[in-house]
Amino acid sequence: MATSGTYVTEVPLKGSAEKHYKRWKTENHLFPDAIGHHIQGVTVHDGEWDSHGSIKIWNYTCEHEHMYLQLYIYEDGKQEVFKERRENDDENMAVTLRGLEGHVMEQLKVYDVIFQFIQKSPSDIVCKITMIWEKRTDDSPEPINYMKFVKSLAADMDHHVIKS
């Protein structure tokens, strides 16, 4: 059995938890304009933008050590895709991305990322990020760089959400 684990972190945010949750649940199409250095495109493959169970394809750039993984962008002439199935939890203001295909899924058998927006007080908001993963083989690297990546997504989207 290959190694598995769970990473958890919190990113402090400004504004309201509801506004952040709405952006992550229904407005992923705005991500390329807001944080184009991370996300170059998001498309709905099946379902609607805000529908539970919808499938989305993300084009993104994730820095890994001394190389860049570019999904759906050219890396040595090869395009790659990250495809995820969406689960929305309105009661807990949480969005779960369940990895289906793409570069990360070549290394991991399980790759689930949960973004939960928590209003701790009127001026204290966090995005709790939980990443659940399982390697395909013991030789596969742990997804530490992917955790850094999703943490920077939440932090960088904060600036865009409070401006809008």
Side-chain angles (χ1 to χ4, degrees):
M1 182 173 181
T3 307
S4 62
T6 301
Y7 299 147
V8 180
T9 191
E10 289 187 354
V11 177
L13 302 173
K14 298 174 186 72
S16 73
E18 291 83 9
K19 197 169 183 181
H20 283 279
Y21 176 61
K22 178 183 176 196
R23 181 65 41 101
W24 282 83
K25 178 184 174 186
T26 66
E27 300 174 346
N28 299 145
H29 60 283
L30 300 174
F31 282 40
D33 288 337
I35 54 172
H37 58 289
H38 290 305
I39 305 296
Q40 289 77 46
V42 184
T43 56
V44 176
H45 177 72
D46 187 35
E48 302 296 326
W49 280 108
D50 60 350
S51 65
H52 183 84
S54 66
I55 296 174
K56 295 189 176 93
I57 298 171
W58 293 76
N59 316 346
Y60 70 94
T61 305
C62 178
E63 189 172 323
H64 286 260
E65 304 291 323
H66 300 291
M67 61 182 233
Y68 291 90
L69 292 178
Q70 300 179 347
L71 299 189
Y72 232 88
I73 320 179
Y74 294 98
E75 178 178 330
D76 298 329
K78 182 180 176 189
Q79 290 186 347
E80 296 184 23
V81 174
F82 173 65
K83 187 185 285 189
E84 54 91 355
R85 181 179 313 276
R86 181 61 50 103
E87 294 180 10
N88 300 318
D89 179 351
D90 292 339
E91 185 176 333
N92 293 304
M93 287 194 287
V95 174
T96 301
L97 308 152
R98 296 206 182 274
L100 301 175
E101 297 176 14
H103 187 274
V104 69
M105 300 312 294
E106 292 171 5
Q107 298 174 18
L108 301 174
K109 188 181 339 181
V110 174
Y111 178 72
D112 296 343
V113 182
I114 304 161
F115 297 90
Q116 182 181 13
F117 301 93
I118 303 165
Q119 190 89 39
K120 292 185 171 188
S121 73
S123 61
D124 186 15
I125 303 151
V126 297
C127 176
K128 178 180 176 186
I129 302 170
T130 305
M131 179 185 289
I132 303 162
W133 54 272
E134 181 181 344
K135 295 181 184 184
R136 286 207 177 273
T137 67
D138 287 328
D139 295 336
S140 298
E142 286 191 20
I144 294 167
N145 289 323
Y146 285 105
M147 187 61 178
K148 290 177 186 174
F149 174 69
V150 295
K151 186 177 178 181
S152 68
L153 286 180
D156 289 357
M157 276 307 293
D158 183 43
H159 302 296
H160 184 73
V161 171
I162 58 174
K163 285 184 196 177
S164 61

